[in-house]
Amino acid sequence: MAEQYRIGGFFIDLSRNQITQNMQSQVVAPKALAVLTYLAENQGKVVSHDALLEKVWQDTVVSTNTLQRSIAQLRKALGDDGKVQVYIKTHAKQGYSLECDVQWPDNANSTSADSISINTMEEKVVDENRADENYAKESKTNEGVTKKSDISAAISGTNTVLHTATNTATTSVTHSADRSISTRSDLRLIAIIFGLVILGIIGYQYLPAQQPSQLTFGKLRALTSTDNKELASIYSPDGEYVVFHRYSEEFCINNVWAKNTQTQQEFQLTKNLDSYGSHSFSQDGKNLVFIKTGGCSNPNTQKKCYKLMNLDFNKALVSPQSPSVLMECNNSEIRSPKWLNNDNIVLLQKFSDRWKLISYSVSENKSQDLYALDDGNIIDYDYSVKDGLIALTSFHNDGYYYIEVLKADGQVLSSHRIKYPQEIANFRLVYPNFTPIKNKLIFSTGKQLFTLSYDGQVTNISLSIDEAMGTPTFHPDGDRMIVIKGHYDSDIASVPLSQITSVQTTKIQSEPNKSFSVVQRSILGEDKAKLQPNGELIAFSSERSGEEQLWVTDGNGSQQLTHFPMDTYLSGLDWAADGKSILVNANYALTQVHLDSTQKTFPLEYAVVRLFQWDSKNNSALVLIRIKGVLKFAELNLTNFKIHIIKEETVSWALKSEDGQLIYKDHMDRFWQPGPAEDKLIEALNGQGSAKQGFVIKDNVIYGINDDFQLWSYALNEELFTIIGALPRNVDNLTDINQTQVLMTVRISSNKEVAELYLRE
């Protein structure tokens, strides 16, 4: 199969997973390009769904939704909107066809000189520093030793220089005989240079292999492509395996898996865990540790308990194993374990909303503190097995983010403020990992990759991707890294209140797609729908334009109100009482957006992590803010920017009723009301809180969803609790309600997959 071909005005390069037009390249998932290539090989013919699935996803069980996502990616890259279908045409209940000319490499004679020039230019754009790709591949060896062919190539190149110089000298002689002595001097100089080149080439083979001076990426290879969620991936110390969590939404089952990167064989390592923690190998590769989270039988200060688990990796490759417990935490949260070279395990532990770095001794079964900030907080860290160093990001009491480099015993070697470039929002958290380049780390903000130096300098890595990639972690050889790619497709749906109360639970949950009407639909995330006060509009967030933006709809058409930059994250929105503007929390800052798209961003000193509610009449907002790294529940005055701290602890959701009663939900999903002496627990709602976004208050009545996907209500003044009825099991969030309908976010598909991104040679 050809590695490169052309479709219309697009240049397809399978070796780099790129589609290029007018010098602009897009990285496209390998499976999607495989679909395009198979359609190109059958240009003009209808290719069935089954044929595409069998060809592209051989020996893998996937649904037609996976194929549809690939088609959607291709249409986006080719500029098709799915309706006009200029390139890829849908044939109902049959399949797809490619409806444009395809130019393969063996058609070079019919290819215009212009297209050849475009191909050549595309190669230069991809890597200006690489003069000859074949030569670069040939000269790379494991010990960094130069081959005979390298020397021959260099001699050939020098002969070319000599030949050119000789021609130049000859021309000079013909112009003036008096310059013959100068010409001979030039030739002697060229001979000396030639000798130096040969000596340099001979000496080069005795030099050690050099680390790359910069990171440039090329090929993207998918390692997993299922309808499940694969995450928290790492390499084994020898680089032979990738280990990851695989969670099935359908069966609510989570397990640790391993995949051989060469044979592609997969191994289930555990049996049905409730676990999402990251992994770490012992240095000999025999043991694997991770965090298991689960419900506490006797909850005290937290809803979930945390256990540090150990798994015998070699035994688990033979058959699934039950991991053993190394350390259990019932009143504190732990995360991110990493095995040190001294056989201790370092991890983060949380007390009273502050994180500290601790070291756990497996042999002595005890831990000790390594690093903590009294007036700040730790964000994240990574450990370098090669250098024996810890790189740690944190908040300091001056309100800025810092990068610290520590020894394994906690001794601080350096501490520098992180200097954010324009491409990163001021309050964005970063989670960097070590790279093969000395003193450089790497992190992702979604669709962008950056390096972070030990002295706090951040540099953008030029990489064009159309899907978010997270947690970049390098292979032990340093030639590639593993990333997690995600796809989330949700719709905004409306359900009549009368239908919820009348339809049987089993029917509405067994046929979820028939139990609601879709208000807004795309192949990406739609969320946070809010009804306009005294109007017909609905405000919502959507990723349909490539980035999460604020939109409004009147039920017939939709309008995009904002154009926030790449990797924007929206966390909360609310209408003004007059329905003429919307307050949105974008990139940890509050922005008031009017219906004519004019905007006003409020200059705040602290990061707004979540917007709960906007009281436009009093110009105040209920928010979750981060002060010196610690989350606090507060009311923010948007006129004078004064902050009133309501609670020092984190809350998951909060609203005020129409008569001014404040209701909030804590981290254990319990509902509270402030009292004169102490806050009062709403006992009637015990067990009704869930991990869903929160609750809605209308006419002094609270509405929420419990873990059984039941819609319930609680009248504040009458203290009356009622189960209204069942909701579809794919409901992700309850977003708004009125006298006749319920607005909610329903999940269509949600998956994460593991991929490898290779360094360019």
Side-chain angles (χ1 to χ4, degrees):
M1 181 181 69
E3 289 290 303
Q4 297 174 339
Y5 58 94
R6 298 182 65 80
I7 292 176
F10 293 89
F11 175 73
I12 317 300
D13 189 341
L14 300 181
S15 65
R16 297 188 182 127
N17 299 314
Q18 287 182 344
I19 295 180
T20 302
Q21 183 188 42
N22 298 330
M23 313 304 296
Q24 298 296 317
S25 297
Q26 302 179 62
V27 175
V28 179
K31 293 292 186 185
L33 284 180
V35 170
L36 180 63
T37 302
Y38 194 51
L39 291 175
E41 290 171 347
N42 295 274
Q43 188 269 334
K45 300 177 182 178
V46 178
V47 182
S48 69
H49 299 127
D50 291 341
L52 283 165
L53 290 171
E54 183 179 351
K55 176 69 176 180
V56 178
W57 287 273
Q58 297 177 9
D59 303 321
T60 304
V61 179
V62 297
S63 68
T64 54
N65 290 338
T66 304
L67 173 60
Q68 290 168 358
R69 288 198 296 270
S70 293
I71 293 293
Q73 292 174 20
L74 292 171
R75 282 177 170 156
K76 182 177 179 182
L78 297 171
D80 255 342
D81 62 6
K83 296 180 180 179
V84 179
Q85 299 184 359
V86 175
Y87 294 94
I88 300 175
K89 184 177 180 180
T90 300
H91 300 267
K93 298 182 180 181
Q94 296 182 56
Y96 302 96
S97 64
L98 187 67
E99 298 295 321
C100 61
D101 292 334
V102 180
Q103 295 180 345
W104 301 98
D106 56 356
N107 294 337
N109 293 334
S110 62
T111 304
S112 67
D114 180 58
S115 69
I116 295 174
S117 174
I118 291 176
N119 288 353
T120 305
M121 290 293 289
E122 187 271 337
E123 293 290 332
K124 292 181 179 178
V125 170
V126 170
D127 191 339
E128 296 178 350
N129 297 323
R130 183 176 59 190
D132 188 330
E133 183 177 11
N134 293 330
Y135 173 75
K137 289 181 180 178
E138 187 180 59
S139 63
K140 183 181 178 182
T141 64
N142 291 335
E143 283 77 29
V145 177
T146 305
K147 298 179 181 179
K148 290 182 180 179
S149 57
D150 300 338
I151 298 176
S152 300
I155 292 174
S156 175
T158 308
N159 285 340
T160 302
V161 174
L162 180 60
H163 176 72
T164 304
T166 304
N167 286 344
T168 304
T170 304
T171 304
S172 299
V173 169
T174 59
H175 283 291
S176 175
D178 294 337
R179 300 171 64 183
S180 61
I181 296 176
S182 176
T183 301
R184 287 194 296 271
S185 298
D186 291 342
L187 289 174
R188 283 196 296 270
L189 178 60
I190 291 172
I192 293 172
I193 293 173
F194 175 79
L196 291 174
V197 169
I198 295 299
L199 289 174
I201 293 172
I202 294 172
Y204 174 75
Q205 61 184 312
Y206 298 103
L207 294 176
Q210 298 294 313
Q211 294 289 349
S213 60
Q214 61 181 353
L215 297 175
T216 55
F217 292 95
K219 183 175 68 173
L220 178 69
R221 181 176 76 136
L223 289 180
T224 61
S225 295
T226 70
D227 289 327
N228 302 308
K229 288 183 179 178
E230 285 108 5
L231 62 164
S233 60
I234 60 167
Y235 290 104
S236 59
D238 59 7
E240 185 177 353
Y241 293 93
V242 167
V243 172
F244 54 90
H245 277 294
R246 172 172 286 165
Y247 176 72
S248 169
E249 293 272 7
E250 182 179 359
F251 300 105
C252 295
I253 294 175
N254 182 69
N255 278 298
V256 182
W257 287 72
K259 183 164 189 170
N260 188 303
T261 57
Q262 298 301 317
T263 67
Q264 304 300 304
Q265 185 177 2
E266 291 188 344
F267 306 86
Q268 181 178 330
L269 305 181
T270 60
K271 299 176 181 178
N272 302 348
L273 294 174
D274 179 15
S275 170
Y276 273 102
S278 58
H279 311 85
S280 180
F281 272 98
S282 58
Q283 301 313 308
D284 58 9
K286 295 181 179 180
N287 291 281
L288 183 71
V289 291
F290 54 91
I291 304 298
K292 177 184 176 181
T293 60
C296 290
S297 56
N298 295 305
N300 183 12
T301 60
Q302 56 189 34
K303 190 174 182 178
K304 291 184 178 295
C305 291
Y306 297 80
K307 298 177 182 179
L308 178 64
M309 312 296 292
N310 180 54
L311 185 70
D312 188 312
F313 183 65
N314 292 327
K315 287 183 178 179
L317 287 175
V318 178
S319 64
Q321 301 291 306
S322 296
S324 59
V325 178
L326 294 177
M327 182 174 67
E328 186 170 358
C329 295
N330 295 333
N331 294 299
S332 66
E333 184 179 343
I334 54 176
R335 65 178 174 94
S336 305
K338 297 186 186 299
W339 222 305
L340 301 180
N341 290 338
N342 61 10
D343 236 13
N344 286 359
I345 298 171
V346 66
L347 63 160
L348 289 171
Q349 186 175 25
K350 184 180 181 182
F351 282 104
S352 300
D353 291 328
R354 292 188 188 274
W355 292 92
K356 62 181 179 180
L357 194 67
I358 67 171
S359 177
Y360 170 73
S361 171
V362 179
S363 58
E364 300 177 5
N365 191 29
K366 66 178 184 180
S367 62
Q368 64 178 14
D369 293 354
L370 283 185
Y371 184 79
L373 289 164
D374 294 332
D375 199 17
N377 213 350
I378 296 174
I379 303 171
D380 195 38
Y381 79 99
D382 191 30
Y383 177 68
S384 169
V385 174
K386 177 184 176 183
D387 300 326
L389 296 177
I390 295 171
L392 180 145
T393 51
S394 62
F395 301 92
H396 281 213
N397 57 12
D398 60 2
Y400 293 108
Y401 303 154
Y402 280 72
I403 171 73
E404 270 102 19
V405 179
L406 287 66
K407 288 186 176 180
D409 61 4
Q411 178 186 347
V412 178
L413 300 177
S414 65
S415 178
H416 294 278
R417 176 185 164 188
I418 301 175
K419 304 170 185 64
Y420 277 17
Q422 244 182 346
E423 301 98 308
I424 304 178
N426 287 337
F427 299 112
R428 185 70 178 256
L429 303 185
V430 297
Y431 302 88
N433 290 325
F434 281 95
T435 73
I437 301 179
K438 187 176 178 60
N439 301 338
K440 287 285 181 71
L441 301 110
I442 189 170
F443 66 89
S444 167
T445 58
K447 297 180 182 178
Q448 300 178 94
L449 291 175
F450 297 86
T451 59
L452 171 63
S453 64
Y454 289 0
D455 61 359
Q457 299 295 327
V458 176
T459 305
N460 197 327
I461 299 174
S462 179
L463 180 66
S464 177
I465 56 178
D466 60 356
E467 281 188 306
M469 295 182 183
T471 62
T473 304
F474 267 91
H475 188 277
D477 292 343
D479 61 343
R480 60 191 182 274
M481 66 181 186
I482 199 168
V483 295
I484 299 295
K485 292 176 23 184
H487 177 85
Y488 176 68
D489 180 7
S490 63
D491 293 346
I492 294 170
S494 173
V495 180
L497 272 173
S498 58
Q499 179 175 322
I500 297 174
T501 57
S502 63
V503 178
Q504 293 181 351
T505 299
T506 54
K507 183 177 181 180
I508 196 170
Q509 293 187 347
S510 62
E511 300 178 343
N513 294 334
K514 298 180 180 179
S515 60
F516 57 79
S517 59
V518 175
V519 178
Q520 285 295 305
R521 164 78 181 134
S522 75
I523 62 170
L524 297 172
E526 321 283 319
D527 198 4
K528 307 177 184 67
K530 291 284 186 180
L531 296 162
Q532 182 187 30
N534 305 313
E536 301 298 325
L537 297 178
I538 296 176
F540 63 99
S541 67
S542 175
E543 299 176 14
R544 64 181 67 182
S545 60
E547 302 296 330
E548 191 173 15
Q549 304 290 347
L550 177 63
W551 290 68
V552 292
T553 179
D554 60 1
N556 296 315
S558 302
Q559 177 187 354
Q560 181 178 338
L561 294 185
T562 61
H563 294 83
F564 293 122
M566 183 180 291
D567 291 336
T568 287
Y569 173 66
L570 304 187
S571 180
L573 61 90
D574 202 9
W575 283 94
D578 61 8
K580 295 181 179 179
S581 63
I582 304 159
L583 187 68
V584 59
N585 183 24
N587 295 323
Y588 309 98
L590 296 180
T591 300
Q592 184 179 0
V593 182
H594 294 270
L595 294 179
D596 62 359
S597 295
T598 58
Q599 300 178 14
K600 172 188 176 182
T601 299
F602 295 95
L604 304 176
E605 184 180 355
Y606 302 111
V608 179
V609 177
R610 178 169 289 179
L611 168 66
F612 298 124
Q613 189 177 37
W614 180 29
D615 180 357
S616 60
K617 293 180 179 178
N618 295 311
N619 204 23
S620 64
L622 288 178
V623 295
L624 191 66
I625 60 173
R626 183 183 290 117
I627 300 178
K628 297 180 181 178
V630 178
L631 297 177
K632 300 178 186 292
F633 174 38
E635 188 165 22
L636 177 62
N637 188 312
L638 296 177
T639 301
N640 56 24
F641 306 118
K642 289 184 178 180
I643 298 173
H644 167 58
I645 303 297
I646 300 174
K647 284 191 71 64
E648 293 288 344
E649 296 84 9
T650 302
V651 304
S652 62
W653 196 254
L655 293 174
K656 282 185 178 180
S657 64
E658 287 82 354
D659 60 3
Q661 297 183 69
L662 174 63
I663 309 296
Y664 68 87
K665 191 174 71 163
D666 66 11
H667 65 291
M668 296 178 69
D669 292 328
R670 299 175 299 185
F671 292 81
W672 297 82
Q673 284 182 283
E678 59 182 21
D679 292 353
K680 176 186 175 183
L681 178 67
I682 305 178
E683 295 184 0
L685 297 181
N686 283 349
Q688 298 303 319
S690 72
K692 304 303 173 185
Q693 176 171 312
F695 54 89
V696 175
I697 299 180
K698 289 290 181 178
D699 300 324
N700 295 320
V701 177
I702 308 174
Y703 297 87
I705 305 175
N706 60 26
D707 286 330
D708 293 324
F709 298 93
Q710 294 173 317
L711 178 67
W712 53 261
S713 67
Y714 179 76
L716 285 168
N717 297 332
E718 294 82 8
E719 298 184 355
L720 178 63
F721 173 76
T722 305
I723 294 290
I724 299 175
L727 290 176
R729 299 191 70 86
N730 61 339
V731 170
D732 267 356
N733 293 314
L734 172 68
T735 61
D736 210 348
I737 196 168
N738 60 16
Q739 291 79 8
T740 60
Q741 66 174 324
V742 177
L743 281 183
M744 56 189 180
T745 303
V746 293
R747 182 182 63 258
I748 305 303
S749 65
S750 176
N751 74 311
K752 293 178 181 289
E753 56 190 33
V754 184
E756 282 185 314
L757 193 56
Y758 283 74
L759 284 174
R760 186 168 293 148
E761 296 178 356

